[in-house]
Amino acid sequence: MAATTAPGQQVTLAGLGRALVQHQMLRPDQAVEVQKKADQARVPFIDELVTSEFLNAAKLAKFAAEAFGHPLLDLAAVDVASLPTELLDAKLSAEARVMPLGKRGNKISVAISDPTDYQTLDRIKFSAQAAVDPIVVEHDKLLKMLEKVYRSASDQLDDLVDDTVDVDVTNDEQAAQVDSEVDDAPVVKFLQKVLIDAIQAGASDIHFEPYEKFYRIRYRIDGELREVAQPPLAIKEKLASRIKVISRLDISEKRIPQDGRMKLVLSKQRAIDFRVSTLPTLFGEKIVMRILDPSSATLGIDALGYDPEQKEALLEAVKRPYGMVLVTGPTGSGKTVSLYTCLNILNGPDINISTAEDPAEINLPGINQVNVNDKAGLTFSAALKSFLRQDPDVIMVGEIRDLETADIAIKAAQTGHMVMSTLHTNDAPTTLTRMMNMGVAPFNIASAVMLITAQRLGRRLCSCKQPHELDEQALLDIGFRESDIDGSWTPYKPVGCERCNGSGYKGRVGIYQVMPISEEIQRIILSNGNAMEIAAQAKAEGVNDLRRSGLIKVMQGHTSIEEVLGVTNE
C-alpha cells in the first residue's frame, strides 16, 4: 500500500501499518504520518506508533493478536527470574526485541510486539534451529522487560556502586598484577564497595553465592547472615576471578577448593586482612571471605566481657611460667580473639612467643607465627617439635586435633613452657574427657592443664531495648535463682531501630565458663571421672556454667533472655 504525502514523495506502508489501515484502526494519513516519522528517526514503525496519540500499546497488542491469530500475553504476569533466557543468544534477543518464553519439542515460544516482523522471526528460527511460535505482548512492557533482563552487568553494577569508592586492595606481599581479563572497572569498584560496607557494618564474613537464577552476597553480622545485594548473575565469573587474583589463587583452577589471603588498605594507619576460601558448587564458585581485623586482638581483656573473677583466674593462669590453658567453643565463638588477647598481654621483649595456626588469622608484631601446611609435611605436631628447639617461652597451637599434637603440647607444658590451644567441645568439663578419649593419659592431663575457658558469643542489645515484663515464677523457670530476683535489675527485650537495622541487637557480648583445674578436679581426672563429675565439682567450687554466665549478662542488661537460651545449653 502506498500513499502520497507531498508532491513527488511516496511513503510505503507494509506489515503492521497496512493491517491497521485495512482494519480501519488507523486512517491512511495517520499511518503515513507515523511511517514517515519512523523513517526519519530510523526506528521501527511500532516504536513511533506507540509514542503517538493514535493508538496505545494495549490496544495495538490486542489488535495484532486477533488480526494475525496469535495468543496474547500480559507480561506483567510473567516472573522475570523464571524466563528461560538461555534459549536465545542475549545479543540477538536484545537487538531483535524478542523474549524467549519456553520451548516444547522443536518449537520455541517468543514474546514479540510486532508479529509481522517476519525478518526477525526468521533470524530467531535460524539461531534457535527451531520453529517459532510468536506470542503477542504489549510493546512498552516488552521493552521494559528486555531492559531489565539484558541490561549490561556493568550498568547494573554502576547503580550499586558509589563513585566515592577508592581504596587499595592488594595481597600480603605486593600489589597484584591484575590480568586484563578481570581488570573490569565496574567489577573492581563493586568488590571494593562490598568489602568497605562489610567492614563498616561490623561483618565477620562475606559470602559470594552463585545460584542457577541469581547471584547473592550476604554478610554475617553479629552471628547472623543477612543478604545485602543481588548483583547481576553475569558477573559471577569476573567477580570470582578478581577475588582470586588479589588473593594469589590459581585463576584457572575452578574444580577444587582453594584458600588464600588478601589485604584491604584503608589508610596509612589501618589495613584489614581477609582470609579467602573458594568452593566449587553446581552453578559456580562460592567464595567466603573472613574479615580479620588486627585491632580486635589489641582491645584488651576488659573489652571481651569476662566477669571480674573470670578475668582474674584467666590472667593468673596465662602468667604462670608453664602449664596449659585451653579455650573451647564452636566455630565463630571468638576463641582466636581470646587467645590473641592473652598473647598480646604476654608479648614483650623478654618473651619468645611462637604460634602454629591453620592459617594465622591475626598478624601481631613480636610473635613468630607459622602457617601449618599438611601437604608439605608442616603439621601442627611438626611445628610444635620445631618450636621446642627454638627456645620458646610461650607456644600457641591453633587447634589440638590428634593424639600426637596433644602429647607434644602436654610435654611442652610439663617442661617449662606456657602452652595455649583450642578444642571443639561444648563446655569446659567435656574438654577434659575429650582429651582422655583422644588417648592422652589422665596423669598428663591433670599435671599439665591449668585452666579451661569455654565461650559463646551472644548478640548485644541495642540502645533501643525495652523492659521485658516477666513474673517471678517465669524467671525461676528460666534458671534465675531466688536470690537474683531482688528487684535491683530488669530484663530487657530487643525492639529494633535504624541503628540496629531493626534487629534489636548491635554488636556481641562474650559468655564464658572459666574453670581452673583445682586439686579436687585433678583427683577426678586421675580416677577417670566423667564430665558430669567434673562439672559438679566445678559448680561446687563456684564456677559458673555457660547458662549461668549468660543469665548474669541478662541481669547486667547486656543481652536478652531469648539470646542466652539460644546460645547456651542447660
Side-chain angles (χ1 to χ4, degrees):
M1 177 180 287
T4 303
T5 58
Q9 183 179 7
Q10 196 173 55
V11 175
T12 302
L13 293 175
L16 191 59
R18 176 181 291 184
L20 287 166
V21 171
Q22 288 175 343
H23 287 78
Q24 299 180 352
M25 296 293 291
L26 283 180
R27 297 197 312 268
D29 60 314
Q30 291 174 332
V32 168
E33 181 183 341
V34 171
Q35 185 65 63
K36 185 178 178 182
K37 287 182 178 179
D39 292 343
Q40 290 173 345
R42 294 185 178 181
V43 297
F45 175 85
I46 192 170
D47 278 25
E48 192 62 40
L49 179 61
V50 295
T51 59
S52 72
E53 58 186 25
F54 302 135
L55 206 62
N56 63 36
K59 286 184 178 179
L60 177 61
K62 185 179 179 183
F63 162 77
E66 293 174 353
F68 299 100
H70 298 302
L72 178 65
L73 175 68
D74 183 5
L75 284 178
V78 175
D79 180 13
V80 176
S82 66
L83 287 171
T85 52
E86 70 281 356
L87 293 178
L88 276 183
D89 177 69
K91 188 175 181 182
L92 172 61
S93 291
E95 286 180 357
R97 298 193 295 191
V98 293
M99 178 67 68
L101 298 174
K103 188 175 184 181
R104 190 170 184 177
N106 195 37
K107 182 177 282 190
I108 183 172
S109 299
V110 296
I112 189 167
S113 55
D114 182 0
T116 67
D117 187 356
Y118 301 115
Q119 186 177 358
T120 291
L121 294 175
D122 286 341
R123 287 178 66 192
I124 295 168
K125 182 178 179 180
F126 178 78
S127 175
Q129 290 295 296
V132 180
D133 182 19
I135 308 293
V136 178
V137 296
E138 295 171 39
H139 189 67
D140 53 350
K141 290 181 180 178
L142 177 61
L143 294 183
K144 287 179 182 177
M145 182 170 280
L146 286 167
E147 183 183 6
K148 189 172 185 180
V149 174
Y150 294 117
R151 189 169 166 233
S152 75
S154 296
D155 290 342
Q156 294 181 53
L157 285 183
D158 284 342
D159 292 343
L160 297 171
V161 177
D162 190 333
D163 288 337
T164 59
V165 174
D166 185 21
V167 292
D168 179 24
V169 185
T170 181
N171 55 52
D172 283 339
E173 300 171 10
Q174 61 184 21
Q177 298 298 316
V178 181
D179 191 282
S180 59
E181 180 188 346
V182 294
D183 192 11
D184 187 299
V187 171
V188 172
K189 274 190 171 184
F190 176 70
L191 176 60
Q192 291 178 348
K193 182 181 189 303
V194 168
L195 300 182
I196 292 171
D197 287 352
I199 293 166
Q200 291 175 343
S204 60
D205 300 87
I206 310 171
H207 293 240
F208 298 85
E209 301 171 318
Y211 296 96
E212 184 177 12
K213 300 290 186 182
F214 66 98
Y215 188 81
R216 74 176 176 187
I217 296 173
R218 295 191 289 174
Y219 294 163
R220 188 174 292 280
I221 301 174
D222 297 337
E224 288 198 337
L225 280 172
R226 302 178 192 173
E227 184 176 311
V228 294
Q230 279 202 19
L233 186 61
I235 73 159
K236 66 178 182 180
E237 298 290 346
K238 283 189 174 182
L239 196 55
S241 296
R242 172 67 182 172
I243 293 171
K244 287 163 78 173
V245 164
I246 58 181
S247 304
R248 300 185 73 82
L249 300 178
D250 185 352
I251 195 172
S252 63
E253 182 55 79
K254 302 176 182 179
R255 300 164 299 170
I256 59 173
Q258 296 187 68
D259 294 298
R261 290 177 72 97
M262 55 167 281
K263 180 177 288 186
L264 181 69
V265 181
L266 298 174
S267 65
K268 290 183 179 179
Q269 290 76 33
R270 191 180 181 205
I272 306 292
D273 286 317
F274 292 80
R275 189 178 73 198
V276 181
S277 172
T278 72
L279 179 70
T281 67
L282 284 177
F283 304 107
E285 288 181 284
K286 173 175 178 175
I287 299 175
V288 176
M289 304 175 75
R290 167 66 58 88
I291 301 174
L292 310 171
D293 190 349
S295 62
S296 61
T298 57
L299 292 174
I301 196 166
D302 293 325
L304 298 184
Y306 286 94
D307 291 334
E309 301 83 6
Q310 295 174 335
K311 172 187 168 184
E312 184 180 346
L314 179 60
L315 289 177
E316 182 186 345
V318 299
K319 288 181 178 178
R320 290 186 184 186
Y322 58 88
M324 178 179 278
V325 172
L326 296 173
V327 179
T328 182
T331 301
S333 60
K335 299 187 299 295
T336 302
V337 171
S338 292
L339 282 176
Y340 268 97
T341 300
C342 294
L343 291 178
N344 204 46
I345 291 169
L346 301 175
N347 192 12
D350 57 335
I351 300 290
N352 179 22
I353 302 175
S354 296
T355 73
E357 302 165 79
D358 184 21
E361 294 191 359
I362 299 171
N363 180 24
L364 274 185
I367 294 177
N368 308 292
Q369 297 170 276
V370 174
N371 279 334
V372 301
N373 187 338
D374 290 338
K375 289 182 180 178
L378 182 56
T379 61
F380 278 119
S381 55
L384 270 173
K385 288 176 184 176
S386 296
F387 287 168
L388 294 175
R389 295 189 289 270
Q390 291 273 320
D391 185 28
D393 296 304
V394 178
I395 296 172
M396 195 270 271
V397 187
E399 183 183 350
I400 293 178
R401 297 176 180 171
D402 52 56
L403 177 59
E404 184 181 10
T405 305
D407 272 340
I408 300 170
I410 281 180
K411 287 173 184 173
Q414 291 171 330
T415 54
H417 308 96
M418 170 52 62
V419 179
M420 301 181 196
S421 189
T422 70
L423 272 88
H424 286 282
T425 56
N426 290 327
D427 57 17
T430 54
T431 304
L432 296 169
T433 53
R434 163 85 174 120
M435 294 185 76
M436 292 183 206
N437 291 338
M438 288 171 65
V440 182
F443 65 87
N444 280 333
I445 298 173
S447 64
V449 180
M450 301 287 104
L451 178 138
I452 301 173
T453 295
Q455 63 184 71
R456 300 288 188 277
L457 287 178
R459 291 180 294 170
R460 186 184 294 272
L461 283 166
C462 179
S463 56
C464 63
K465 63 186 179 183
Q466 289 182 0
H468 191 179
E469 300 298 334
L470 291 169
D471 59 33
E472 183 174 331
Q473 187 56 48
L475 293 173
L476 291 173
D477 292 343
I478 289 165
F480 289 99
R481 301 169 182 169
E482 288 191 9
S483 58
D484 295 334
I485 308 170
D486 56 5
S488 63
W489 59 276
T490 302
Y492 289 92
K493 62 182 178 181
V495 178
C497 64
E498 287 186 7
R499 184 170 177 268
C500 60
N501 290 321
S503 69
Y505 297 95
K506 185 72 175 176
R508 290 201 277 182
V509 60
I511 298 171
Y512 303 94
Q513 178 186 26
V514 178
M515 187 179 79
I517 306 302
S518 64
E519 290 184 4
E520 286 301 319
I521 292 178
Q522 286 178 333
R523 289 192 183 97
I524 296 172
I525 296 169
L526 290 170
S527 61
N528 290 311
N530 59 37
M532 293 178 67
E533 293 174 297
I534 296 169
Q537 180 59 37
K539 186 175 182 180
E541 294 175 4
V543 174
N544 292 326
D545 61 15
L546 286 166
R547 173 60 61 83
R548 177 64 187 167
S549 293
L551 294 179
I552 290 173
K553 291 291 189 291
V554 171
M555 295 167 65
Q556 294 169 346
H558 296 315
T559 190
S560 67
I561 291 171
E562 293 80 7
E563 187 68 10
V564 170
L565 298 180
V567 300
T568 64
N569 289 330
E570 191 167 22

